[in-house]
Amino acid sequence: MTRLFGTDGVRGLANVALTAELALDLSVAAAHVLADRGEFAGHRPRAVVGRDTRISGQFLEAAVVAGLASAGVDVLLLGVLPTPGVAYLTGALDADLGVMLSASHNPMPDNGIKFLARGGLKLDDAIEVAIEKRMREEWQRPTGGDVGRVSPYADAVTAYASHLVAATPEPLRGLKVVLDCANGAASEVGPRALREAGAEVISIHADPDGLNINDDCGSTHLESLQAAVLEHGADAGFALDGDADRCLAVCQEGNVVDGDQILAVLALAMRDEGTLVKDTVVATVMSNLGFVHAMKGAGVGVRQTKVGDRYVLEAMRISGYNLGGEQSGHVILSDHATTGDGILTALKVLQRMAATGTSLRELAGVMTRLPQVLVNVADVDKSRTDEDAVLAAAVAEEEAALGDSGRILLRPSGTEALVRVMVEAPTHDLAHDVAHRLADVVKAQLAL
């Protein structure tokens, strides 16, 4: 049986794959699993529920709330709020469970359900498996005063904005910034937090109508942000995704600053402040080799994990590191957040700019990105990627030719019958040639 939970909750086409019935069943099962684990012992259980701006979030929110309340859980409705805001308030309000309704950067017709444990932490795989097993089971329903109460929490945006500003002690006066809110969950709180921190803010794509989230805007479509930065003569621009857990940037010249570069800027800032735990940053195997070289040259260690912010978080939690992230713009500052937080990331980059009087272009220039080519090879037996001797020999030959100046990564897709061939090299032409030579070998050796 295919698991419902993916790497970041349950996602799918709203009202087809992700229905109100499924949302209700998942919520009831989550309440039962947490109750059996003793999470609710000695008190009335409480959950907080937030959502992004997708119109489907309205009926899914109603279904989640119905499921939780019918299982005896009191619910605080946070309304439209970023995923990291829901995570923060799960901890700040001492809730037993947090629920976020969002499909992040996915197109508007999709939606998703993400459960957060006490303290705003992502659920362990074992708990997700237990929730799936408990769905649609027979259960003793509470009655009378034992059913859950549902209340709005009107201070959600204010509380989260105050938390973000408190995490940014350096005033941002004198900085002009463009913020692309992706017509998503940060459309209100994002500009507010940056303004309260002292920046002059021009917000774009901050008029959600339930249908326009991520529509040619946000972190997956940077063109309008680049244009706005140049038009307004801004010092920097930042693009969030639909639930604002990721952030990409644009310098004053309109050039993109990706997640690796942002991570490098913040790693050096924290090292200089003496706050970077063990002088180490956590990244994934997809991080550009230029990032690894830059950190090594600066005396900062790099711990690399599998792709996915949950693996970055896991490594940070196990070893006590306090900075990690991905090339896609998920940046985790665990001194202030339990998940990636796009608004916090923007604030911290601006704080570094203000403290040093240095432009974002100069700060990001600490690393030189190596050209990177990614080729997806479809219709192959991805399970044999690490076993085929001919493929292994071809990779070894190309790696020997590249030496320390490049890198090769073959990664089976987690959801499709394909293998991703990623090559970094000193020139784009060389990376392209190596990637396509290896793609041909993958196709020949692993064809279905």
Side-chain angles (χ1 to χ4, degrees):
M1 175 179 164
T2 304
R3 278 197 64 189
L4 280 173
F5 284 91
T7 56
D8 204 18
V10 178
R11 288 189 190 176
L13 182 59
N15 218 27
V16 175
L18 183 56
T19 62
E21 294 88 347
L22 178 59
L24 190 148
D25 288 341
L26 279 167
S27 301
V28 170
H32 290 165
V33 168
L34 294 177
D36 287 352
R37 288 170 56 88
E39 299 287 338
F40 305 158
H43 65 278
R44 283 187 66 88
R46 180 163 61 170
V48 296
V49 178
R51 60 182 176 87
D52 69 19
T53 55
R54 294 164 215 267
I55 194 168
S56 60
Q58 296 176 0
F59 80 77
L60 289 172
E61 176 188 67
V64 166
V65 171
L68 292 173
S70 72
V73 179
D74 292 341
V75 180
L76 289 176
L77 292 172
L78 305 181
V80 172
L81 200 68
T83 291
V86 175
Y88 166 69
L89 287 174
T90 301
L93 297 175
D94 198 26
D96 303 286
L97 178 68
V99 186
M100 179 65 188
L101 299 165
S102 176
S104 191
H105 60 282
N106 285 24
M108 181 277 295
D110 289 347
N111 215 322
I113 302 176
K114 184 187 304 183
F115 292 106
L116 299 164
R118 263 189 169 281
L121 300 172
K122 290 191 174 185
L123 294 186
D124 294 336
D125 287 347
I127 298 178
E128 292 180 344
V129 170
I131 289 172
E132 289 191 29
K133 288 181 178 179
R134 297 287 297 273
M135 289 178 62
R136 290 178 289 278
E137 67 178 0
E138 291 295 324
W139 56 293
Q140 185 68 41
R141 298 170 183 269
T143 59
D146 291 332
V147 300
R149 285 103 163 142
V150 181
S151 308
Y153 184 69
D155 295 330
V157 168
T158 298
Y160 177 48
S162 297
H163 161 70
L164 292 169
V165 174
T168 316
E170 294 289 337
L172 306 181
R173 285 187 295 276
L175 290 176
K176 181 191 289 188
V177 59
V178 179
L179 184 66
D180 181 346
C181 301
N183 291 314
S187 293
E188 179 182 357
V189 71
R192 174 174 174 172
L194 266 63
R195 289 190 181 107
E196 289 183 3
E200 178 185 347
V201 182
I202 297 105
S203 58
I204 63 174
H205 304 301
D207 298 298
D209 61 9
L211 305 175
N212 59 2
I213 186 172
N214 297 325
D215 187 10
D216 288 329
C217 59
S219 62
T220 54
H221 302 278
L222 296 173
E223 298 81 8
S224 60
L225 176 63
Q226 291 172 294
V229 167
L230 295 175
E231 176 189 350
H232 293 282
D235 297 293
F238 297 92
L240 309 172
D241 63 341
D243 70 334
D245 66 350
R246 69 170 69 184
C247 168
L248 294 179
V250 169
C251 75
Q252 77 274 24
E253 295 178 352
N255 297 317
V256 174
V257 177
D258 72 7
D260 285 340
Q261 293 168 297
I262 290 171
L263 201 57
V265 170
L266 297 181
L268 297 189
M270 293 172 65
R271 181 207 62 184
D272 291 350
E273 295 165 359
T275 59
L276 184 64
V277 172
K278 303 175 186 176
D279 281 343
T280 297
V281 60
V282 180
T284 76
V285 293
M286 287 299 287
S287 288
N288 193 274
L289 186 58
F291 169 78
V292 178
H293 286 168
M295 293 298 95
K296 182 178 179 181
V300 174
V302 179
R303 165 78 182 277
Q304 290 185 282
T305 73
K306 292 191 293 184
V307 175
D309 67 318
R310 71 182 304 148
Y311 301 112
V312 174
L313 273 164
E314 182 179 83
M316 292 174 67
R317 197 173 302 135
I318 290 172
S319 300
Y321 302 127
N322 60 346
L323 177 65
E326 297 185 280
Q327 195 178 76
S328 61
H330 276 115
V331 174
I332 302 150
L333 293 137
S334 62
D335 290 339
H336 310 287
T338 59
T339 185
D341 190 325
I343 305 171
L344 178 64
T345 299
L347 285 165
K348 286 297 184 181
V349 170
L350 290 168
Q351 181 176 294
R352 178 65 165 175
M353 293 170 62
T356 61
T358 307
S359 71
L360 180 55
R361 179 182 63 81
E362 292 176 273
L363 290 173
V366 68
M367 65 165 279
T368 301
R369 287 183 49 79
L370 290 183
Q372 186 180 84
V373 172
L374 179 66
V375 179
N376 292 327
V377 186
D379 301 319
V380 292
D381 182 359
K382 62 184 180 182
S383 67
R384 296 194 291 117
T385 304
D386 296 328
E387 301 173 0
D388 188 87
V390 173
L391 178 57
V395 171
E397 182 179 349
E398 298 287 3
E399 286 179 331
L402 288 172
D404 292 337
S405 67
R407 185 168 67 106
I408 296 168
L409 178 65
L410 268 61
R411 187 168 68 88
S413 167
T415 56
E416 304 170 80
L418 60 83
V419 172
R420 307 187 197 280
V421 180
M422 190 275 286
V423 177
E424 292 170 345
T427 68
H428 182 273
D429 287 346
L430 179 56
H432 175 276
D433 291 346
V434 173
H436 282 273
R437 281 198 297 268
L438 288 176
D440 289 342
V441 177
V442 170
K443 192 177 300 181
Q445 293 301 119
L446 307 184
L448 291 172

